[in-house]
Amino acid sequence: MFKKLIYKLKYRRAAQIGSLILGNSYFLPLKWCPTVGMNCYACPLAATACPIGSLQHFAVIRQIPYFLIGLFVAIGGFFGRMVCGWACPIGWLQEIIHKIPTPKWTIRWKPLRYLKYAVLVFLVLLIPYLTMEPWFSKLCFVGTVEAGVPLAIFDESIREMIGPLFYVKLAITVVLLSLFVFVKRPFCRFLCPLGAIYSLTNRFSYLNLQVDSGCTSCNRCQKVCPMDIKVYENPNSGECIRCLECTTVCEHVSLCAGKKQIQKNTKKGVEVHA
Amino acid sequence: MRSYHWMLLIGIALIVLGVYHEETAEILANAEMICFSCIGLG
C-alpha cells in the first residue's frame, strides 16, 4: 500500500484534460466508439462518437442500441456519475466559466432536476422515434460550440447552408454560456440527458461516497459542491458527480470501492490508499 | 453478487451482443455519416 497526497484535486483536472484530448484527437480511428462524456462528434477534431447523438440515431432508425446500453450500464455500474465530474469536457467548461468573478445565483428548486429526464425521454428518444429526425442534436448547444460555429466560420459551403434553426441553436448556446457564469453547472443539473442516464446508476455503482457518523451537517460540503447538493443527506443521490471536492473540506466524507474505503481526507489534502 | 456486479455483467454482455449484432456493427462502422445531420444548420 502506498499513500499519495492530491493537493487541490489536480488528478481531476488531469483526467478532464486527458478526456478532452482523447475525445478530440482527430487521428485516432475511434468514431465507432461513443465517448463517455458529452462531446460532439461533428466537431472537426472529434475522434469518438457522441453517446447521446448515437442513442438518438438508433431511435431515429428504430433499432435497439445494444452496444450503447451495455456501455452505459457497464460504466454506470463501475463509476456511477463520476464520469460527469472527471471526464466530461462540457462539465469542465462549465466549471471554468463559473470561475469568472461575478455575483453567483443559487437555484435549488428541486423539480428542475427532473427536467433532464424529460429531455432524455422526449427530446432524445420519443420525438426522434416519432419524427425520424435527431431533434436533440438539432438543438444541442454542445454541437453548436464544438461543431456548428467552428464549421460555419471556416467552411464557406457550410456557411451557405445556415438557416433559421442555426440561429435558434446559437440563441440557446448564448443563454447557456451566460448562465454558466452565474449558476453552478446548470447544464449538468437541469438539462443533460447523459447525466440523467448515469444518475440512474449512481446508487448501485462500485465507486460510491460514504458519510460517517461524525458528520455535523455544517454544509461545508454544499458550499464547495459543483452540483450544489447536501452530500450528507444522500451521498449516493443521482445528482452527485463524485468530483470529491467535498472530501477536501470534510473528513467525514470518503470515497469507497464497494464497502471498502479507498480514500479519506486529511488536514493537508486528500489521501489515497492503493 | 452485489448490484454493481450484475450491472457490469449485463453491460459487458450487451456490449458483446452489440458488437456481433449485424445492424449495430454496420451503424457503428459508419458513425461518421451521422455527424452531418447533427450539426443542425438549417
Side-chain angles (χ1 to χ4, degrees):
Chain A
M1 187 178 84
F2 70 94
K3 294 178 179 178
K4 191 167 188 176
L5 290 171
I6 310 170
Y7 291 105
K8 295 179 184 173
L9 291 165
K10 282 181 182 168
Y11 280 177
R12 192 161 82 90
R13 290 286 168 268
Q16 286 171 321
I17 294 167
S19 164
L20 180 68
I21 293 171
L22 192 68
N24 294 291
S25 302
Y26 183 72
F27 52 89
L28 293 174
L30 292 171
K31 274 267 161 118
W32 58 272
C33 182
T35 182
V36 289
M38 290 293 278
N39 191 54
C40 184
Y41 56 2
C43 168
L45 293 173
T48 49
C50 167
I52 293 301
S54 305
L55 185 64
Q56 193 178 217
H57 183 72
F58 277 91
V60 168
I61 60 167
R62 299 177 178 181
Q63 293 279 335
I64 299 169
Y66 298 109
F67 186 86
L68 274 164
I69 296 171
L71 204 71
F72 292 143
V73 173
I75 291 172
F78 194 88
F79 295 105
R81 216 179 156 182
M82 200 170 194
V83 170
C84 305
W86 288 69
C88 180
I90 298 306
W92 186 35
L93 175 73
Q94 290 173 81
E95 286 180 11
I96 291 170
I97 295 177
H98 193 66
K99 283 184 178 167
I100 295 172
T102 56
K104 304 298 177 192
W105 303 341
T106 308
I107 302 176
R108 287 179 186 154
W109 192 48
K110 281 190 177 177
L112 270 179
R113 292 176 182 180
Y114 300 106
L115 200 57
K116 59 180 174 291
Y117 299 103
V119 170
L120 173 67
V121 172
F122 292 104
L123 218 48
V124 177
L125 298 172
L126 203 58
I127 296 175
Y129 181 85
L130 296 173
T131 62
M132 300 181 85
E133 289 280 344
W135 275 102
F136 179 80
S137 293
K138 281 176 182 283
L139 301 170
C140 177
F141 102 95
V142 182
T144 316
V145 171
E146 292 188 355
V149 171
L151 285 171
I153 290 171
F154 295 113
D155 193 323
E156 201 181 327
S157 61
I158 284 184
R159 213 159 39 238
E160 284 167 4
M161 292 163 67
I162 287 176
L165 183 65
F166 185 77
Y167 295 107
V168 173
K169 282 183 75 156
L170 213 55
I172 293 170
T173 305
V174 170
V175 169
L176 279 172
L177 288 174
S178 311
L179 212 55
F180 295 168
V181 179
F182 305 104
V183 184
K184 286 179 176 181
R185 281 196 179 227
F187 183 71
C188 304
R189 289 163 65 197
F190 311 131
L191 293 171
C192 181
L194 188 60
I197 294 171
Y198 287 135
S199 69
L200 298 173
T201 67
N202 233 14
R203 69 181 64 236
F204 308 109
S205 65
Y206 177 62
L207 294 177
N208 59 86
L209 278 189
Q210 299 286 339
V211 179
D212 69 35
S213 54
C215 171
T216 56
S217 310
C218 68
N219 277 343
R220 273 186 301 170
C221 52
Q222 190 180 20
K223 281 177 191 162
V224 296
C225 177
M227 299 295 277
D228 206 21
I229 55 171
K230 292 177 179 172
V231 180
Y232 56 87
E233 280 185 352
N234 183 2
N236 293 308
S237 86
E239 300 305 304
C240 175
I241 54 169
R242 308 221 169 107
C243 61
L244 307 181
E245 295 285 349
C246 51
T247 64
T248 63
V249 295
C250 177
E251 65 272 25
H252 300 296
V253 190
S254 54
L255 180 69
C256 296
K259 288 196 170 180
K260 187 186 170 195
Q261 193 182 64
I262 54 169
Q263 172 248 32
K264 67 174 182 179
N265 195 25
T266 67
K267 283 180 184 174
K268 287 183 179 176
V270 179
E271 201 173 69
V272 168
H273 302 267
Chain B
M1 292 232 297
R2 293 185 184 280
S3 49
Y4 51 80
H5 290 133
W6 283 110
M7 286 176 76
L8 287 171
L9 210 62
I10 293 167
I12 291 164
L14 283 169
I15 289 171
V16 173
L17 182 66
V19 169
Y20 286 100
H21 185 247
E22 199 178 320
E23 282 155 343
T24 307
E26 194 183 320
I27 290 160
L28 293 171
N30 296 311
E32 282 186 66
M33 300 300 290
I34 308 167
C35 302
F36 202 68
S37 67
C38 288
I39 306 172
L41 290 168

